Amino acid sequence: MARFAISDLHGCRQTFLAALDTIGLNKDDELFLLGDYIDRGPDSKGVIDTIWELERDGYRVQCLKGNHEQMCLDGTKDPNWLPIWLKNGGRETMGSFGDHMPDEQHLQWMEALPHYLETPGYILTHAGLNFRRANPMEDQDAMLWIRRWSQEVDRDWLNGRIIVHGHTPRTLSEIKENLAYLNHLPVMNIDAGCCYDLPGRGNLCVFHLDDQRVTFMPNRDR
Ligand SMILES: [Mn+2]
């Protein structure tokens, strides 16, 4: 059995499937998905449906909430949030739902997602943790939104654990560098900007938790 983490799928279903094929995911493995399934890419509904299919087929998948799921949920309840969500990729998400808001089943799934998960040696969260708080686990908002926090980590509090997160897109070389420095700074950002057509970005990153390797899959959804 092996453990894998992927973040920021952003509607890129074909890239997701190609990445799973490349790592050869099997039913003993654990797949952790760190949020932002929707928005920007072409097939947000397809990404969530693929996760449900994997679960139905007996794969072990654990999913976290990202800020884009939160924006979508807030957009359904608060008229101030709706234009913000639509501008940040929500339009593409609506496109994948036949130019409608996501249906109740998909919304309920998003609503129920946890903000963090723990697995031996790791804390997993979408954006990161707020070490300005006495107990970083109490700031759920930071888990969805925080940026530029990694220099503030409290190693004593982490007690040997590594934080794996996404949310802030990085280039391939930045992610490789991050991996090389993992012994010095126990924070791993695995968002390789799958949905962005920009130099160095446009990849999906699979992090292998047990041997601390990465596999990159170039975008297949464009
Ligand atoms: Mn995000």
Side-chain angles (χ1 to χ4, degrees):
M1 89 150 249
R3 295 177 296 168
F4 304 101
I6 300 176
S7 191
D8 296 84
L9 286 159
H10 282 300
C12 296
R13 175 173 179 271
Q14 297 303 332
T15 315
F16 181 35
L17 289 172
L20 296 183
D21 198 45
T22 297
I23 61 172
L25 183 75
N26 70 55
K27 291 176 184 175
D28 297 325
D29 297 334
E30 277 185 285
L31 177 63
F32 298 96
L33 300 175
L34 309 191
D36 283 4
Y37 312 96
I38 63 167
D39 296 355
R40 299 203 168 109
D43 196 3
S44 293
K45 179 178 185 294
V47 167
I48 296 176
D49 291 349
T50 297
I51 294 166
W52 293 352
E53 277 162 31
L54 288 167
E55 289 170 342
R56 264 199 303 271
D57 292 346
Y59 289 91
R60 300 163 69 193
V61 190
Q62 297 199 64
C63 298
L64 291 174
K65 188 185 283 184
N67 61 302
H68 281 265
E69 285 73 54
Q70 191 61 55
M71 272 193 279
C72 172
L73 292 163
D74 291 343
T76 66
K77 295 168 199 156
D78 179 346
N80 294 317
W81 269 103
L82 187 59
I84 297 169
W85 174 61
L86 291 174
K87 216 167 45 193
N88 282 284
R91 260 184 223 296
E92 289 83 351
T93 296
M94 283 186 63
S96 76
F97 283 90
D99 286 327
H100 291 100
M101 287 299 283
D103 54 75
E104 208 46 50
Q105 198 188 3
H106 287 82
L107 289 173
Q108 279 172 11
W109 180 80
M110 292 188 237
E111 185 82 61
L113 295 171
H115 288 76
Y116 72 92
L117 284 167
E118 291 184 81
T119 181
Y122 294 95
I123 300 176
L124 312 172
T125 178
H126 176 64
L129 296 181
N130 179 5
F131 283 94
R132 294 180 182 191
R133 293 274 289 259
N135 181 1
M137 305 315 280
E138 284 174 0
D139 192 346
Q140 294 207 327
D141 214 45
M143 293 174 187
L144 299 178
W145 293 97
I146 198 168
R147 295 196 200 271
R148 290 179 289 278
W149 55 278
S150 61
Q151 297 301 326
E152 295 166 3
V153 293
D154 180 343
R155 286 147 202 278
D156 293 336
W157 183 88
L158 276 175
N159 194 21
R161 294 172 296 178
I162 293 170
I163 303 168
V164 183
H165 71 97
H167 185 55
T168 302
R170 292 281 183 249
T171 62
L172 287 188
S173 51
E174 284 169 330
I175 288 179
K176 287 177 193 163
E177 200 175 319
N178 187 164
L179 189 62
Y181 279 90
L182 215 45
N183 291 331
H184 304 280
L185 185 67
V187 175
M188 184 69 213
N189 181 353
I190 62 167
D191 179 3
C194 181
C195 65
Y196 294 102
D197 193 6
L198 293 167
R201 297 194 170 76
N203 293 281
L204 193 64
C205 175
V206 183
F207 181 57
H208 302 239
L209 279 72
D210 298 299
D211 47 5
Q212 296 181 355
R213 290 186 294 125
V214 287
T215 300
F216 294 111
M217 176 54 61
N219 185 298
R220 298 263 186 112
D221 288 81
R222 270 193 282 277

PDB file of all heavy atoms in Angstrom, residues 7-8 10 34-36 40 65-69 71 126-127 143-147 166-169 191, ligand 1:
ATOM      1  N   SER A   7      -3.495  18.016  -5.098  1.00  0.00           N
ATOM      2  CA  SER A   7      -4.274  19.202  -4.742  1.00  0.00           C
ATOM      3  C   SER A   7      -4.661  19.990  -5.991  1.00  0.00           C
ATOM      4  O   SER A   7      -4.090  19.785  -7.063  1.00  0.00           O
ATOM      5  CB  SER A   7      -3.452  20.090  -3.798  1.00  0.00           C
ATOM      6  OG  SER A   7      -4.271  21.095  -3.240  1.00  0.00           O
ATOM      7  N   ASP A   8      -5.629  20.870  -5.851  1.00  0.00           N
ATOM      8  CA  ASP A   8      -5.973  21.857  -6.888  1.00  0.00           C
ATOM      9  C   ASP A   8      -6.239  21.247  -8.265  1.00  0.00           C
ATOM     10  O   ASP A   8      -5.601  21.619  -9.254  1.00  0.00           O
ATOM     11  CB  ASP A   8      -4.869  22.930  -6.953  1.00  0.00           C
ATOM     12  CG  ASP A   8      -4.788  23.721  -5.649  1.00  0.00           C
ATOM     13  OD1 ASP A   8      -4.122  23.250  -4.699  1.00  0.00           O
ATOM     14  OD2 ASP A   8      -5.442  24.761  -5.557  1.00  0.00           O
ATOM     15  N   HIS A  10      -9.012  21.644  -9.943  1.00  0.00           N
ATOM     16  CA  HIS A  10      -9.631  22.749 -10.695  1.00  0.00           C
ATOM     17  C   HIS A  10     -10.262  22.322 -12.026  1.00  0.00           C
ATOM     18  O   HIS A  10      -9.946  22.882 -13.095  1.00  0.00           O
ATOM     19  CB  HIS A  10      -8.616  23.878 -10.930  1.00  0.00           C
ATOM     20  CG  HIS A  10      -8.394  24.736  -9.720  1.00  0.00           C
ATOM     21  ND1 HIS A  10      -9.408  25.452  -9.114  1.00  0.00           N
ATOM     22  CD2 HIS A  10      -7.272  24.979  -8.987  1.00  0.00           C
ATOM     23  CE1 HIS A  10      -8.922  26.111  -8.077  1.00  0.00           C
ATOM     24  NE2 HIS A  10      -7.640  25.832  -7.967  1.00  0.00           N
ATOM     25  N   LEU A  34      -6.588  17.392  -1.733  1.00  0.00           N
ATOM     26  CA  LEU A  34      -6.480  18.514  -0.802  1.00  0.00           C
ATOM     27  C   LEU A  34      -7.342  19.727  -1.158  1.00  0.00           C
ATOM     28  O   LEU A  34      -7.074  20.824  -0.700  1.00  0.00           O
ATOM     29  CB  LEU A  34      -5.008  18.939  -0.657  1.00  0.00           C
ATOM     30  CG  LEU A  34      -4.006  17.824  -0.329  1.00  0.00           C
ATOM     31  CD1 LEU A  34      -2.651  18.422   0.042  1.00  0.00           C
ATOM     32  CD2 LEU A  34      -4.487  16.907   0.776  1.00  0.00           C
ATOM     33  N   GLY A  35      -8.389  19.516  -1.970  1.00  0.00           N
ATOM     34  CA  GLY A  35      -9.339  20.608  -2.204  1.00  0.00           C
ATOM     35  C   GLY A  35      -9.139  21.352  -3.507  1.00  0.00           C
ATOM     36  O   GLY A  35      -8.176  21.124  -4.239  1.00  0.00           O
ATOM     37  N   ASP A  36     -10.086  22.254  -3.792  1.00  0.00           N
ATOM     38  CA  ASP A  36     -10.167  22.969  -5.078  1.00  0.00           C
ATOM     39  C   ASP A  36     -10.343  21.986  -6.240  1.00  0.00           C
ATOM     40  O   ASP A  36      -9.526  21.944  -7.176  1.00  0.00           O
ATOM     41  CB  ASP A  36      -8.974  23.920  -5.295  1.00  0.00           C
ATOM     42  CG  ASP A  36      -9.103  25.206  -4.475  1.00  0.00           C
ATOM     43  OD1 ASP A  36     -10.066  25.311  -3.689  1.00  0.00           O
ATOM     44  OD2 ASP A  36      -8.256  26.101  -4.631  1.00  0.00           O
ATOM     45  N   ARG A  40     -12.326  27.197 -12.823  1.00  0.00           N
ATOM     46  CA  ARG A  40     -11.268  27.509 -13.794  1.00  0.00           C
ATOM     47  C   ARG A  40     -11.144  26.481 -14.911  1.00  0.00           C
ATOM     48  O   ARG A  40     -11.189  26.835 -16.069  1.00  0.00           O
ATOM     49  CB  ARG A  40      -9.900  27.683 -13.112  1.00  0.00           C
ATOM     50  CG  ARG A  40      -9.885  28.819 -12.123  1.00  0.00           C
ATOM     51  CD  ARG A  40      -8.487  29.353 -11.869  1.00  0.00           C
ATOM     52  NE  ARG A  40      -8.551  30.609 -11.139  1.00  0.00           N
ATOM     53  CZ  ARG A  40      -8.195  30.768  -9.871  1.00  0.00           C
ATOM     54  NH1 ARG A  40      -7.702  29.766  -9.189  1.00  0.00           N
ATOM     55  NH2 ARG A  40      -8.320  31.938  -9.291  1.00  0.00           N
ATOM     56  N   LYS A  65     -11.639  20.124   2.011  1.00  0.00           N
ATOM     57  CA  LYS A  65     -12.297  21.289   1.405  1.00  0.00           C
ATOM     58  C   LYS A  65     -11.255  22.331   1.002  1.00  0.00           C
ATOM     59  O   LYS A  65     -10.279  22.560   1.726  1.00  0.00           O
ATOM     60  CB  LYS A  65     -13.271  21.907   2.409  1.00  0.00           C
ATOM     61  CG  LYS A  65     -14.160  23.003   1.814  1.00  0.00           C
ATOM     62  CD  LYS A  65     -15.027  23.660   2.875  1.00  0.00           C
ATOM     63  CE  LYS A  65     -16.207  22.789   3.259  1.00  0.00           C
ATOM     64  NZ  LYS A  65     -17.108  23.470   4.230  1.00  0.00           N
ATOM     65  N   GLY A  66     -11.449  22.960  -0.171  1.00  0.00           N
ATOM     66  CA  GLY A  66     -10.620  24.085  -0.603  1.00  0.00           C
ATOM     67  C   GLY A  66     -11.414  25.377  -0.577  1.00  0.00           C
ATOM     68  O   GLY A  66     -12.649  25.361  -0.442  1.00  0.00           O
ATOM     69  N   ASN A  67     -10.736  26.492  -0.749  1.00  0.00           N
ATOM     70  CA  ASN A  67     -11.438  27.772  -0.733  1.00  0.00           C
ATOM     71  C   ASN A  67     -12.405  27.908  -1.909  1.00  0.00           C
ATOM     72  O   ASN A  67     -13.399  28.628  -1.801  1.00  0.00           O
ATOM     73  CB  ASN A  67     -10.443  28.946  -0.715  1.00  0.00           C
ATOM     74  CG  ASN A  67      -9.555  28.978  -1.925  1.00  0.00           C
ATOM     75  OD1 ASN A  67      -8.838  28.007  -2.208  1.00  0.00           O
ATOM     76  ND2 ASN A  67      -9.577  30.082  -2.666  1.00  0.00           N
ATOM     77  N   HIS A  68     -12.142  27.221  -3.018  1.00  0.00           N
ATOM     78  CA  HIS A  68     -13.086  27.331  -4.146  1.00  0.00           C
ATOM     79  C   HIS A  68     -14.404  26.619  -3.853  1.00  0.00           C
ATOM     80  O   HIS A  68     -15.464  27.109  -4.264  1.00  0.00           O
ATOM     81  CB  HIS A  68     -12.439  26.839  -5.444  1.00  0.00           C
ATOM     82  CG  HIS A  68     -11.528  27.875  -6.029  1.00  0.00           C
ATOM     83  ND1 HIS A  68     -11.932  28.764  -7.002  1.00  0.00           N
ATOM     84  CD2 HIS A  68     -10.252  28.199  -5.716  1.00  0.00           C
ATOM     85  CE1 HIS A  68     -10.924  29.576  -7.284  1.00  0.00           C
ATOM     86  NE2 HIS A  68      -9.894  29.250  -6.523  1.00  0.00           N
ATOM     87  N   GLU A  69     -14.361  25.477  -3.140  1.00  0.00           N
ATOM     88  CA  GLU A  69     -15.618  24.852  -2.718  1.00  0.00           C
ATOM     89  C   GLU A  69     -16.361  25.800  -1.765  1.00  0.00           C
ATOM     90  O   GLU A  69     -17.582  25.967  -1.856  1.00  0.00           O
ATOM     91  CB  GLU A  69     -15.357  23.501  -2.016  1.00  0.00           C
ATOM     92  CG  GLU A  69     -14.991  22.376  -2.946  1.00  0.00           C
ATOM     93  CD  GLU A  69     -13.583  22.468  -3.522  1.00  0.00           C
ATOM     94  OE1 GLU A  69     -12.609  22.587  -2.760  1.00  0.00           O
ATOM     95  OE2 GLU A  69     -13.467  22.429  -4.762  1.00  0.00           O
ATOM     96  N   MET A  71     -16.128  29.101  -1.659  1.00  0.00           N
ATOM     97  CA  MET A  71     -16.668  30.246  -2.408  1.00  0.00           C
ATOM     98  C   MET A  71     -17.971  29.877  -3.108  1.00  0.00           C
ATOM     99  O   MET A  71     -18.912  30.665  -3.165  1.00  0.00           O
ATOM    100  CB  MET A  71     -15.664  30.722  -3.463  1.00  0.00           C
ATOM    101  CG  MET A  71     -14.676  31.729  -2.950  1.00  0.00           C
ATOM    102  SD  MET A  71     -13.781  32.513  -4.325  1.00  0.00           S
ATOM    103  CE  MET A  71     -12.558  31.258  -4.667  1.00  0.00           C
ATOM    104  N   HIS A 126      -5.725  22.326   2.838  1.00  0.00           N
ATOM    105  CA  HIS A 126      -5.697  22.937   1.506  1.00  0.00           C
ATOM    106  C   HIS A 126      -4.641  24.044   1.385  1.00  0.00           C
ATOM    107  O   HIS A 126      -3.789  24.017   0.502  1.00  0.00           O
ATOM    108  CB  HIS A 126      -7.080  23.491   1.119  1.00  0.00           C
ATOM    109  CG  HIS A 126      -7.048  24.203  -0.200  1.00  0.00           C
ATOM    110  ND1 HIS A 126      -6.760  23.554  -1.366  1.00  0.00           N
ATOM    111  CD2 HIS A 126      -7.210  25.513  -0.527  1.00  0.00           C
ATOM    112  CE1 HIS A 126      -6.756  24.422  -2.371  1.00  0.00           C
ATOM    113  NE2 HIS A 126      -7.026  25.619  -1.890  1.00  0.00           N
ATOM    114  N   ALA A 127      -4.711  25.036   2.278  1.00  0.00           N
ATOM    115  CA  ALA A 127      -3.848  26.218   2.108  1.00  0.00           C
ATOM    116  C   ALA A 127      -2.673  26.235   3.079  1.00  0.00           C
ATOM    117  O   ALA A 127      -1.582  26.693   2.724  1.00  0.00           O
ATOM    118  CB  ALA A 127      -4.677  27.491   2.268  1.00  0.00           C
ATOM    119  N   MET A 143      -6.992  27.492   7.027  1.00  0.00           N
ATOM    120  CA  MET A 143      -6.798  26.224   6.306  1.00  0.00           C
ATOM    121  C   MET A 143      -7.286  26.312   4.866  1.00  0.00           C
ATOM    122  O   MET A 143      -6.813  25.595   3.997  1.00  0.00           O
ATOM    123  CB  MET A 143      -7.509  25.084   7.036  1.00  0.00           C
ATOM    124  CG  MET A 143      -6.886  24.765   8.386  1.00  0.00           C
ATOM    125  SD  MET A 143      -7.859  23.545   9.274  1.00  0.00           S
ATOM    126  CE  MET A 143      -7.001  23.538  10.855  1.00  0.00           C
ATOM    127  N   LEU A 144      -8.238  27.218   4.611  1.00  0.00           N
ATOM    128  CA  LEU A 144      -8.756  27.412   3.250  1.00  0.00           C
ATOM    129  C   LEU A 144      -8.022  28.506   2.478  1.00  0.00           C
ATOM    130  O   LEU A 144      -7.943  28.431   1.249  1.00  0.00           O
ATOM    131  CB  LEU A 144     -10.244  27.792   3.306  1.00  0.00           C
ATOM    132  CG  LEU A 144     -11.209  26.801   3.929  1.00  0.00           C
ATOM    133  CD1 LEU A 144     -12.616  27.392   3.927  1.00  0.00           C
ATOM    134  CD2 LEU A 144     -11.191  25.482   3.175  1.00  0.00           C
ATOM    135  N   TRP A 145      -7.529  29.521   3.171  1.00  0.00           N
ATOM    136  CA  TRP A 145      -7.127  30.760   2.498  1.00  0.00           C
ATOM    137  C   TRP A 145      -5.700  31.221   2.709  1.00  0.00           C
ATOM    138  O   TRP A 145      -5.216  32.055   1.962  1.00  0.00           O
ATOM    139  CB  TRP A 145      -8.048  31.910   2.965  1.00  0.00           C
ATOM    140  CG  TRP A 145      -9.455  31.779   2.545  1.00  0.00           C
ATOM    141  CD1 TRP A 145     -10.489  31.279   3.295  1.00  0.00           C
ATOM    142  CD2 TRP A 145     -10.017  32.146   1.279  1.00  0.00           C
ATOM    143  NE1 TRP A 145     -11.650  31.328   2.565  1.00  0.00           N
ATOM    144  CE2 TRP A 145     -11.391  31.853   1.334  1.00  0.00           C
ATOM    145  CE3 TRP A 145      -9.477  32.707   0.118  1.00  0.00           C
ATOM    146  CZ2 TRP A 145     -12.245  32.081   0.262  1.00  0.00           C
ATOM    147  CZ3 TRP A 145     -10.327  32.940  -0.963  1.00  0.00           C
ATOM    148  CH2 TRP A 145     -11.697  32.621  -0.874  1.00  0.00           C
ATOM    149  N   ILE A 146      -5.003  30.764   3.733  1.00  0.00           N
ATOM    150  CA  ILE A 146      -3.750  31.419   4.144  1.00  0.00           C
ATOM    151  C   ILE A 146      -2.668  31.319   3.055  1.00  0.00           C
ATOM    152  O   ILE A 146      -2.601  30.348   2.304  1.00  0.00           O
ATOM    153  CB  ILE A 146      -3.241  30.821   5.489  1.00  0.00           C
ATOM    154  CG1 ILE A 146      -2.238  31.742   6.157  1.00  0.00           C
ATOM    155  CG2 ILE A 146      -2.662  29.418   5.298  1.00  0.00           C
ATOM    156  CD1 ILE A 146      -1.928  31.367   7.606  1.00  0.00           C
ATOM    157  N   ARG A 147      -1.847  32.383   2.959  1.00  0.00           N
ATOM    158  CA  ARG A 147      -0.687  32.382   2.055  1.00  0.00           C
ATOM    159  C   ARG A 147       0.534  32.902   2.812  1.00  0.00           C
ATOM    160  O   ARG A 147       0.409  33.590   3.815  1.00  0.00           O
ATOM    161  CB  ARG A 147      -0.940  33.280   0.833  1.00  0.00           C
ATOM    162  CG  ARG A 147      -2.073  32.771  -0.056  1.00  0.00           C
ATOM    163  CD  ARG A 147      -2.041  33.446  -1.417  1.00  0.00           C
ATOM    164  NE  ARG A 147      -3.332  33.352  -2.087  1.00  0.00           N
ATOM    165  CZ  ARG A 147      -3.702  32.350  -2.893  1.00  0.00           C
ATOM    166  NH1 ARG A 147      -2.885  31.354  -3.125  1.00  0.00           N
ATOM    167  NH2 ARG A 147      -4.895  32.360  -3.459  1.00  0.00           N
ATOM    168  N   GLY A 166      -1.741  22.785  -0.787  1.00  0.00           N
ATOM    169  CA  GLY A 166      -1.741  23.320  -2.141  1.00  0.00           C
ATOM    170  C   GLY A 166      -2.050  24.799  -2.082  1.00  0.00           C
ATOM    171  O   GLY A 166      -1.462  25.527  -1.299  1.00  0.00           O
ATOM    172  N   HIS A 167      -2.967  25.253  -2.959  1.00  0.00           N
ATOM    173  CA  HIS A 167      -3.569  26.596  -2.906  1.00  0.00           C
ATOM    174  C   HIS A 167      -2.767  27.685  -3.598  1.00  0.00           C
ATOM    175  O   HIS A 167      -3.342  28.569  -4.222  1.00  0.00           O
ATOM    176  CB  HIS A 167      -3.855  26.994  -1.454  1.00  0.00           C
ATOM    177  CG  HIS A 167      -4.567  28.302  -1.294  1.00  0.00           C
ATOM    178  ND1 HIS A 167      -5.775  28.563  -1.917  1.00  0.00           N
ATOM    179  CD2 HIS A 167      -4.255  29.419  -0.586  1.00  0.00           C
ATOM    180  CE1 HIS A 167      -6.167  29.791  -1.576  1.00  0.00           C
ATOM    181  NE2 HIS A 167      -5.265  30.329  -0.784  1.00  0.00           N
ATOM    182  N   THR A 168      -1.442  27.691  -3.453  1.00  0.00           N
ATOM    183  CA  THR A 168      -0.634  28.740  -4.070  1.00  0.00           C
ATOM    184  C   THR A 168       0.216  28.089  -5.160  1.00  0.00           C
ATOM    185  O   THR A 168       1.134  27.347  -4.853  1.00  0.00           O
ATOM    186  CB  THR A 168       0.255  29.430  -3.011  1.00  0.00           C
ATOM    187  OG1 THR A 168      -0.601  29.951  -1.989  1.00  0.00           O
ATOM    188  CG2 THR A 168       1.055  30.561  -3.626  1.00  0.00           C
ATOM    189  N   PRO A 169      -0.126  28.340  -6.463  1.00  0.00           N
ATOM    190  CA  PRO A 169       0.554  27.620  -7.541  1.00  0.00           C
ATOM    191  C   PRO A 169       2.058  27.904  -7.597  1.00  0.00           C
ATOM    192  O   PRO A 169       2.485  29.041  -7.398  1.00  0.00           O
ATOM    193  CB  PRO A 169      -0.134  28.123  -8.817  1.00  0.00           C
ATOM    194  CG  PRO A 169      -1.167  29.095  -8.415  1.00  0.00           C
ATOM    195  CD  PRO A 169      -1.174  29.240  -6.942  1.00  0.00           C
ATOM    196  N   ASP A 191       0.877  22.293  -5.180  1.00  0.00           N
ATOM    197  CA  ASP A 191       0.062  22.898  -6.242  1.00  0.00           C
ATOM    198  C   ASP A 191       0.969  23.315  -7.394  1.00  0.00           C
ATOM    199  O   ASP A 191       1.672  24.325  -7.305  1.00  0.00           O
ATOM    200  CB  ASP A 191      -0.713  24.103  -5.697  1.00  0.00           C
ATOM    201  CG  ASP A 191      -1.561  24.782  -6.769  1.00  0.00           C
ATOM    202  OD1 ASP A 191      -1.598  24.286  -7.915  1.00  0.00           O
ATOM    203  OD2 ASP A 191      -2.193  25.802  -6.457  1.00  0.00           O
TER     204      ASP A 191
HETATM  205 MN    MN B   1      -7.147  27.296  -3.247  1.00  0.00          MN
END
